[in-house]
Structure formats: structure tokens, C-alpha cells
Amino acid sequence: MAQEIAKEFSTEELKEFLEGDLQPTQADPAFQERLRQELWALVQERYGRAPDDRLD
Amino acid sequence: MTRPGVGPAGPDAALSSWTDEALFERVCGGSEAHFNALYARYFRRIYAFVYQRIRNHADTEELVQETFTVVFRGAANFGGRSSPLAWVYGVAKNLVMNHLRRARVLQERIAEAGDEPLATTSPHWSYGPDDQLTLRRCAAALDEQIAGLADWQAEAFFLRHAENLPIQEISRRTDRSADAVRSGLYRVKRLLVRAGALEPESESP
């Protein structure tokens, strides 16, 4: 898998991308939640909703 | 009742060990819990990546939204071409590069224009009587719409789009709730679009 990724982007690029997880978020929490709701609506519209949305 | 992985508590910890591939698969099956886990996993890294390059919260929010929209629209067609991580990164990177390219072209045009007045006597910029009438109508409509705004709404619009401040900071400066700021910004945008979209009265065919 790592080799496959490396074909498209350098390891450094992806590492930097992942380092975003460690940074304090500068995003507006209201934006984050609003976007989540909008995207979930999009997902439901596109793929439907699982009849039994359980964790397993 | 709070469903697993839904609501203010955020994604369920039980999903933290799931691979991206497995989460995507369940999202395409319509699972909200798995969608929440994937969204939470990628939101911060995408936002940080975009903001580091754009340095503007308003544009960053648009690009983050665009990235996620492309990703979730295409999730079913992803088909394991590469890793989800590389795919999402590629989408975000392309959108950022396109945005920066457009901004650079705009800057170049502004630089080329120099101190020249925007309305020149050049034939390319000359308008006929009909065009001038349309422009005057648009300007009048714009003035009318802007006059209807509360001072704080105009200020909020300026702070957001000229100074690139986040909603929370605008909320603090204008002493309004974040929702009120958001609603005010939306109102200003609508007014501007309405004024700009004003069409001259159509002639009878």
C-alpha cells in the first residue's frame, strides 16, 4: 500500500497532511458541525441510509 | 436519544481502529456512525492543510466543504484505486492548487491594470447606451439594497471578506451571536446577488 501511495504523492507530502491531526484546530466549531450535517444529508441522498445503523 | 457516533460527543471510540477503506465502505452503505468517524478523522487534517496554504478562513471553509463534497460524492466509485488517504489528499491538493492559480491570475490582472482607472476610453471597455443604462440600474439597485442593511451587518461582511476573520471573532466584535453573524452574512450576500442579478426591463419581442 505504501508503494502505491508513493506513486502518486511523496511520503513527505502525506506525512505533512497527517500532521494536521496534531495541530490545534483553527476551524469554527459551528462550521464543522454545519458541514457535517450537510455532508450527511448528501450521503443519505446519494447512498440511502442503513436500515440498522449499528456499530458492529 | 443519541445514536452511536452521532451528536456533540463526536464519533464513537470503537471506530477509531477501523481502516479508512472499511469506514468508506460502510458510509456507502448509509451508516451515520461510520460517516461521523470518517468525517472526524479527516476534518482537522484537511482544514489544517488548506489553511496553511490559503491563510484565509472564509476561503478555507469553502475549500474544505468542496473537498469533502467531492470525496463523499465519489466514495462509491473510489474502488480502491489507491489508498483513501492519498485520494482525499489529492482532492484537497488539486482544489487548493486551482484556488491559488485563480488568485494568482487575478493578482496579475490587477497588477497589469496598475493605476489605470477601471473605466477607460479603450474600445474594449466602452459601453453603449444600453450597457450604461444597465450599469446605472445595477448601481442604483446596489445602493438601495446596501442602504437596507444594519450597520453591524455591513461591518460583519467587511470583517469576514476583507479582513478574513473567523465567525467567532466577528461575533465578539459585533456583539452578536455566531448564528446571527452567519445569518447576517447570508443576508448581505443575497442582497448583493439580487442587486447584481438585476436585469434591465426586457423589450417586447
Side-chain angles (χ1 to χ4, degrees):
Chain A
M1 180 66 78
Q3 288 173 341
E4 198 173 306
I5 296 170
K7 282 181 193 169
E8 297 180 58
F9 304 108
S10 73
T11 311
E12 287 305 310
E13 278 184 281
L14 294 172
K15 190 179 162 198
E16 186 196 345
F17 184 48
L18 288 172
E19 280 170 357
D21 294 353
L22 307 174
Q23 296 174 16
T25 184
Q26 296 165 304
D28 180 350
F31 162 71
Q32 185 171 354
E33 174 56 19
R34 195 180 69 251
L35 180 59
R36 187 194 69 77
Q37 290 172 11
E38 287 175 10
L39 291 168
W40 172 235
L42 180 153
V43 167
Q44 285 180 94
E45 187 186 341
R46 202 165 184 84
Y47 307 110
R49 181 170 191 162
D52 185 11
D53 191 6
R54 290 178 307 159
L55 296 177
D56 53 20
Chain B
M1 191 171 83
T2 303
R3 295 158 54 79
V6 182
D12 196 292
L15 295 176
S16 62
S17 60
W18 281 51
T19 63
D20 290 349
E21 286 89 342
L23 289 175
F24 265 114
E25 194 180 326
R26 294 298 294 267
V27 168
C28 293
S31 165
E32 186 174 9
H34 297 80
F35 162 81
N36 283 337
L38 204 50
Y39 179 70
R41 185 175 293 180
Y42 274 92
F43 181 87
R44 184 176 292 199
R45 65 181 64 150
I46 293 174
Y47 199 97
F49 171 80
V50 176
Y51 185 73
Q52 275 171 3
R53 283 149 185 83
I54 305 293
R55 294 286 169 195
N56 171 323
H57 286 288
D59 289 342
T60 297
E61 288 185 0
E62 284 182 19
L63 288 167
V64 169
Q65 177 162 6
E66 217 174 325
T67 300
F68 272 116
T69 302
V70 170
V71 165
F72 283 117
R73 278 201 177 132
N77 301 321
F78 163 59
R81 285 188 299 254
S82 63
S83 77
L85 173 69
W87 178 51
V88 176
Y89 172 73
V91 172
K93 185 180 177 184
N94 280 339
L95 289 170
V96 167
M97 298 302 281
N98 288 341
H99 177 89
L100 292 174
R101 199 174 298 123
R102 282 196 301 271
R104 193 165 51 243
V105 168
L106 184 61
Q107 285 298 321
E108 284 169 3
R109 285 184 183 163
I110 291 170
E112 282 170 12
D115 295 331
E116 298 267 327
L118 288 177
T120 72
T121 55
S122 159
H124 296 295
W125 290 90
S126 63
Y127 296 104
D130 287 348
D131 296 326
Q132 289 182 15
L133 181 61
T134 302
L135 283 173
R136 275 201 297 275
R137 281 177 174 162
C138 284
L142 200 54
D143 284 343
E144 188 183 325
Q145 300 288 357
I146 289 173
L149 287 174
D151 286 346
W152 76 267
Q153 288 174 328
E155 184 189 358
F157 190 80
F158 176 82
L159 292 172
R160 182 66 165 165
H161 295 283
E163 298 197 3
N164 301 320
L165 295 181
I167 298 288
Q168 284 174 321
E169 177 60 18
I170 298 171
S171 166
R172 192 186 65 76
R173 290 199 188 186
T174 58
D175 199 23
R176 308 278 166 169
S177 71
D179 281 345
V181 169
R182 225 180 286 284
S183 165
L185 290 171
Y186 180 67
R187 178 155 185 258
V188 178
K189 273 189 183 175
R190 279 190 56 190
L191 290 177
L192 293 176
V193 167
R194 198 179 303 160
L198 189 71
E199 294 289 339
E201 287 171 22
S202 59
E203 303 285 339
S204 299

